[in-house]
């Protein structure tokens, strides 16, 4: 598709680059162009306020002069007309050009409409989900999983090569405790059946025992030491706990449609520590402090980074550094994203700062990004383990499916495959709710809101998709682009939809640039709402053949973009509901 914003930028650039000090690149120019909130103001707007000082003229005058010059010298088919409003220069694009672009692109590329290959040849690693072994997969990990999964799809749609890594929390002193607890009471717990739950019970019991008896704590520490030294009994148990936990996590991933390219977690780096420690030593910044080895970050305004503890064990942070090194060598990444709660902001700041000290290509050091997100709040407050009101994720997903099933029963009990459909709606509702607001905001978890079929929800978008399918089915055919008469798409609501469709690619790009899937969720709600108005105001079937074909074609395109957009978020659509 032609990039209309770029075309406008070119036109403006030609008029503005009249003196040396006024060299503005096309990219800069593009970033100065805005899309007016009110479509009546035009398709693009160029604010002249910023130029006022340099040009020593009022913004309105600059806008007026630009308009006159463009009309005089650069008349083209793309711009229908130009208006000066306040200090803005507003552009209205020729509608048939937009219609033509959208329809041709759709005809060529329908399944991948809005995709591009701007990322081709670039490797992006996304580190997401990353739960801790033998600990409950909680709703915070769900956010990481869902946001990370969406980013994976979004970047892929833009042609990037994505590598999804589940950096499991599968190492740490807690394993010393688990091994001790299992040794003592393993037979009392059926860890094969529900591993995470049973292991958690063992963990709580042994932790309490440790508090009462210093000797037990000593034994736990010993176990961890043995594990680190490669003791076969301890390793065997560790592997068992790990394997069973992963199996359980995978059930959730399957429900959510999430896949990883690697499950290399913290433990994977244990035998790769010497190299990273050597590099830290070589940096000359590693200092001894009370038996531990740390890196002072005071000049950066941060607490010191703990590299090696006084008992010789490595830390979460050092393992992250080893992972950076390994990922650089093995994946040659152009970007490495960590989708992890905002509670770890300091951790990543420290890790990224220390990574700068390593003897490694600049590219790897400068392209580490923490993608933080907010908490999930119940209507009644924070979900936390300590207060005992933590909700198991599997139960939440099951509950959502159950509730969706009930709604289907009420609305359309005749439907075939109700269970299948309830799964798509129930899970889709949870994912959409998770991705609807700006990720950094805390999310409110409220069943009534997220399963509402008419609100700003996943089910509403799915429902709109299903409606497009029903219309096409009723018509009994899907017209081709050749049947579309552009004259029949002139009404405001049709044009609004065409413009939405035109902006899909830009929306996906924007979501990638800001690592913000909510940009896509919001787009989908707007598109679905625009379609509902279109549908209410226009007879799709039953007008003259040309009008019907044109409207059916719009319907088909909207359905396809809703489906693709949801797919980017990791949500499937039912064909009926
Ligand atoms: N396992 C950690 C947690 O649950 C998250 C790990 C994130 N990834 C990383 N490379 N540090 O808090």
């Amino acid at each position: 598709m032609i990039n209309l914003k770029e075309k406008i930028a070119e036109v403006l650039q030609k008029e503005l680059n009249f003196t040396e000090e006024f060299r503005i690149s096309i990219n800069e120019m593009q970033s100065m162009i805005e899309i007016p909130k009110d479509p009546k103001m035009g398709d693009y707007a160029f604010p002249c306020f910023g130029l006022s000082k340099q040009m020593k003229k009022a913004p309105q005058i600059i806008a007026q002069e630009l308009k006159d010059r463009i009309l005089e010298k650069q008349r083209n088919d793309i711009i229908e007309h130009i208006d000066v409003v306040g200090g803005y220069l507003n552009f209205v694009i020729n509608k048939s050009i937009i219609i033509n672009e959208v329809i041709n692109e759709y005809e060529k590329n329908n399944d991948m409409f809005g995709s591009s290959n701007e990322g081709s040849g670039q490797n992006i690693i996304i580190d997401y989900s990353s739960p801790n072994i033998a600990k409950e997969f909680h709703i915070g990990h769900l956010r990481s999983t869902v946001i990370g999964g969406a980013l994976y799809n979004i970047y892929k749609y833009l042609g990037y090569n994505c590598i999804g890594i589940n950096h499991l929390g599968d190492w740490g002193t807690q394993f010393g405790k688990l091994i001790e607890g299992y040794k003592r009471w393993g037979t009392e717990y059926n860890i094969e059946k529900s591993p995470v739950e049973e292991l958690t019970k063992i963990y709580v019991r042994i932790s309490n025992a440790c508090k009462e008896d210093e000797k037990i704590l000593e034994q736990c520490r010993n176990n961890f030491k043995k594990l680190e030294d490669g003791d076969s009994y301890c390793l065997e148990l560790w592997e068992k706990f790990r394997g069973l936990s992963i199996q359980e996590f995978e059930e959730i991933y399957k429900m959510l449609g999430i896949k990883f390219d690697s499950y290399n977690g913290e433990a994977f780096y244990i035998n790769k520590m010497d190299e990273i420690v050597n590099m830290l030593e070589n940096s000359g910044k590693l200092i001894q402090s009370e038996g531990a080895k740390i890196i002072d970050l005071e000049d950066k305004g941060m607490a010191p980074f703990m590299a090696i503890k006084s008992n010789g064990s490595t830390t979460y942070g050092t393992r992250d550094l080893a992972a950076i090194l390994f990922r650089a060598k093995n994946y040659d990444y152009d970007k490495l994203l960590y989708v992890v709660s905002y509670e770890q902001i300091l951790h990543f700041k420290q890790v990224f700062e220390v990574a700068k000290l390593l003897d490694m290509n600049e590219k790897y050091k400068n392209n580490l990004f923490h993608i933080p997100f907010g908490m999930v709040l119940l209507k009644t407050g924070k979900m936390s383990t300590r207060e005992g009101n933590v909700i198991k994720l599997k139960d939440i997903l099951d509950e959502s499916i159950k509730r969706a099933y009930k709604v289907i029963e009420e609305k359309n009990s005749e439907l075939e495959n109700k269970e299948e459909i309830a799964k798509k709606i129930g899970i889709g509702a949870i994912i959409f709710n998770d991705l609807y607001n700006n990720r950094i905001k805390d999310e409110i978890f409220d069943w009534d809101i997220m399963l509402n079929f008419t609100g700003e929800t996943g089910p509403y978008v799915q429902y709109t998709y299903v409606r497009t399918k029903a219309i096409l089915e009723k018509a009994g055919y899907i017209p081709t682009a050749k049947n579309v008469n552009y004259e029949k798409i002139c009404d405001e609501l049709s044009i609004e939809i065409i413009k939405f469709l035109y902006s899909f690619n830009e929306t996906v790009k924007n979501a990638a640039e800001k690592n913000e899937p909510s940009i896509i969720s919001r787009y989908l709600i707007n598109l679905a709402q625009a379609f509902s108005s279109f549908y209410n105001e226009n007879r799709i079937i039953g007008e003259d053949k040309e009008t019907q074909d044109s409207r059916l074609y719009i319907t088909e395109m909207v359905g396809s973009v809703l489906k693709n957009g949801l797919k980017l978020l990791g949500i499937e659509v039912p064909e009926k509901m």
Side-chain angles (χ1 to χ4, degrees):
M1 277 201 283
I2 30 174
N3 184 341
L4 293 168
K5 202 183 201 183
E6 189 179 85
K7 293 283 171 211
I8 302 285
E10 278 166 17
V11 167
L12 283 165
Q13 195 204 31
K14 264 192 212 145
E15 294 307 330
L16 285 170
N17 274 0
F18 45 84
T19 65
E20 269 306 315
E21 77 239 59
F22 247 94
R23 294 270 166 245
I24 303 176
S25 74
I26 281 290
N27 276 345
E28 270 174 282
M29 201 66 222
Q30 274 201 75
S31 65
M32 291 162 79
I33 297 174
E34 300 172 3
I35 296 183
K37 292 242 159 24
D38 177 2
K40 287 194 193 69
M41 302 301 284
D43 299 305
Y44 298 99
F46 179 68
C48 301
F49 308 95
L51 300 175
S52 180
K53 207 170 153 207
Q54 253 172 308
M55 296 173 78
K56 300 192 180 65
K57 277 182 197 164
Q60 293 94 307
I61 311 253
I62 301 175
Q64 185 61 48
E65 286 177 2
L66 278 172
K67 175 182 165 176
D68 294 342
R69 278 209 300 274
I70 292 169
L71 290 183
E72 195 182 312
K73 299 195 312 217
Q74 295 196 64
R75 233 173 228 296
N76 66 35
D77 318 338
I78 293 178
I79 301 170
E80 193 171 281
H81 67 257
I82 311 178
D83 282 326
V84 175
V85 180
Y88 285 94
L89 193 56
N90 290 346
F91 294 86
V92 175
I93 303 291
N94 183 336
K95 292 182 188 50
S96 54
I97 297 230
I98 306 188
I99 300 174
N100 190 45
E101 283 299 309
V102 167
I103 290 182
N104 278 337
E105 175 71 13
Y106 186 75
E107 191 70 7
K108 270 206 307 254
N109 214 1
N110 52 45
D111 279 346
M112 294 290 281
F113 179 83
S115 66
S116 71
N117 53 11
E118 62 169 65
S120 122
Q122 293 201 55
N123 303 320
I124 292 207
I125 298 181
I126 306 171
D127 175 323
Y128 64 115
S129 194
S130 311
N132 301 319
I133 296 297
K135 289 207 188 135
E136 206 51 74
F137 190 115
H138 59 73
I139 196 137
H141 291 124
L142 173 72
R143 285 212 86 181
S144 169
T145 308
V146 164
I147 296 170
L151 291 177
Y152 188 105
N153 299 333
I154 290 168
Y155 277 106
K156 209 166 156 202
Y157 210 63
L158 297 174
Y160 290 86
N161 175 38
C162 299
I163 302 115
I165 302 184
N166 194 335
H167 187 79
L168 292 170
D170 55 3
W171 203 253
T173 47
Q174 75 268 27
F175 285 98
K177 286 188 175 178
L178 271 175
I179 291 169
E180 190 57 34
Y182 187 81
K183 244 201 242 173
R184 290 168 179 248
W185 320 295
T187 51
E188 293 171 38
Y189 297 86
N190 188 349
I191 71 163
E192 265 78 15
K193 185 155 167 277
S194 42
V196 169
E197 199 177 331
E198 297 297 284
L199 287 169
T200 309
K201 284 186 198 155
I202 296 180
Y203 186 75
V204 170
R205 187 166 166 191
I206 189 75
S207 298
N208 286 333
C210 285
K211 272 184 220 140
E212 274 167 23
D213 190 343
E214 191 53 36
K215 269 198 229 101
I216 301 181
L217 184 62
E218 204 38 54
Q219 278 157 346
C220 295
R221 288 200 181 119
N222 249 333
N223 289 336
F224 184 59
K225 182 89 190 57
K226 280 203 220 144
L227 182 63
E228 286 206 303
D229 294 341
D231 173 80
S232 65
Y233 174 78
C234 290
L235 263 178
E236 199 180 297
L237 279 186
W238 169 81
E239 249 162 42
K240 180 177 171 135
F241 301 156
R242 183 178 188 272
L244 288 169
S245 302
I246 292 180
Q247 252 176 42
E248 199 172 322
F249 298 151
E250 276 180 336
E251 260 175 63
I252 293 172
Y253 296 139
K254 200 167 149 216
M255 288 177 95
L256 294 169
I258 292 282
K259 288 209 176 73
F260 297 96
D261 300 295
S262 160
Y263 273 92
N264 286 340
E266 294 183 46
F268 178 76
Y269 299 101
I270 293 307
N271 61 9
K272 299 175 180 58
M273 283 298 153
D274 293 347
E275 187 180 3
I276 192 76
V277 174
N278 275 339
M279 282 172 107
L280 289 174
E281 300 272 11
N282 289 341
S283 76
K285 298 276 185 199
L286 201 56
I287 50 177
Q288 297 278 350
S289 165
E290 296 168 28
K293 292 183 179 178
I294 63 165
I295 288 178
D296 185 80
L297 294 173
E298 203 180 343
D299 56 333
K300 304 282 186 252
M302 289 178 235
F305 175 80
M306 170 76 72
I308 306 284
K309 292 191 205 164
S310 54
N311 65 3
S313 331
T314 58
T315 64
Y316 175 51
T318 319
R319 297 195 278 275
D320 257 330
L321 289 171
I324 291 175
L325 205 62
F326 178 83
R327 292 167 181 182
K329 278 190 207 149
N330 277 269
Y331 301 109
D332 182 30
Y333 62 81
D334 295 281
K335 266 187 192 178
L336 169 45
L337 313 183
Y338 297 87
V339 186
V340 186
S341 146
Y342 66 44
E343 292 165 303
Q344 294 194 28
I345 285 184
L346 175 62
H347 168 76
F348 285 107
K349 272 195 177 158
Q350 291 177 315
V351 168
F352 297 171
E353 209 47 66
V354 176
K356 292 209 179 104
L357 305 173
L358 302 179
D359 180 19
M360 226 181 15
N361 191 327
E362 285 297 315
K363 165 174 120 168
Y364 302 130
K365 302 185 201 184
N366 295 332
N367 289 303
L368 302 166
F369 301 94
H370 179 204
I371 314 299
F373 53 81
M375 307 255 187
V376 182
L377 304 174
L378 290 177
K379 264 198 297 185
T380 49
K382 185 184 165 185
M383 290 197 188
S384 92
T385 340
R386 242 164 282 139
E387 281 133 45
N389 60 342
V390 74
I391 304 183
K392 275 178 77 170
L393 186 60
K394 177 78 169 42
D395 295 345
I396 296 179
L397 297 176
D398 287 338
E399 175 72 16
S400 190
I401 296 171
K402 215 166 82 196
R403 287 177 187 245
Y405 190 89
K406 222 176 109 207
V407 181
I408 302 172
E409 272 287 89
E410 283 161 17
K411 287 193 192 269
N412 191 355
S413 65
E414 308 284 275
L415 211 59
E416 280 172 47
N417 298 330
K418 273 184 284 202
E419 257 148 54
E420 190 70 17
I421 295 169
K423 257 190 212 157
K424 290 182 178 168
I425 297 176
I427 304 241
I430 295 217
I431 298 179
F432 197 90
N433 183 57
D434 221 339
L435 296 178
Y436 191 53
N437 286 313
N438 219 303
R439 63 179 150 73
I440 201 69
K441 280 199 192 157
D442 289 341
E443 166 197 329
I444 310 285
F445 194 89
D446 182 344
W447 290 117
D448 297 330
I449 293 176
M450 64 199 209
L451 277 164
N452 187 335
F453 277 38
T454 53
E456 293 167 9
T457 63
Y460 170 64
V461 181
Q462 288 170 322
Y463 181 68
T464 311
Y465 167 76
V466 167
R467 221 149 68 160
T468 65
K469 288 283 122 173
I471 296 166
L472 294 167
E473 193 175 317
K474 191 163 160 217
Y477 69 100
I478 299 171
T480 61
K482 286 199 299 294
N483 301 114
V484 180
N485 178 347
Y486 294 5
E487 311 269 289
K488 304 285 181 182
I489 319 188
C490 301
D491 67 288
E492 236 176 77
L493 294 170
S494 304
I495 293 292
E496 191 188 357
I497 290 188
I498 293 286
K499 286 184 182 167
F500 267 123
L501 296 174
Y502 176 79
S503 66
F504 184 49
N505 171 253
E506 182 138 354
T507 305
V508 180
K509 278 191 196 163
N510 205 353
E513 208 169 290
K514 304 199 166 72
N515 293 304
E516 187 63 83
S518 68
I519 292 175
I520 294 180
S521 335
R522 301 218 161 233
Y523 168 88
L524 293 175
I525 291 292
N526 290 336
L527 177 61
Q529 284 170 347
F531 184 76
S532 301
S533 313
F534 166 82
Y535 173 87
N536 291 335
E537 297 293 320
N538 289 322
R539 251 172 58 167
I540 299 181
I541 300 176
E543 296 283 355
D544 62 281
K545 181 78 169 60
E546 279 191 338
T547 306
Q548 173 167 317
D549 282 352
S550 307
R551 291 184 180 164
L552 282 174
Y553 200 81
I554 291 182
T555 305
E556 153 76 12
M557 289 193 292
V558 169
S560 165
V561 169
L562 291 177
K563 180 179 177 170
N564 276 344
L566 285 174
K567 200 163 147 200
L568 292 179
L569 302 179
I571 300 172
E572 287 183 72
V573 287
E575 295 299 308
K576 288 203 159 77
M577 71 192 258

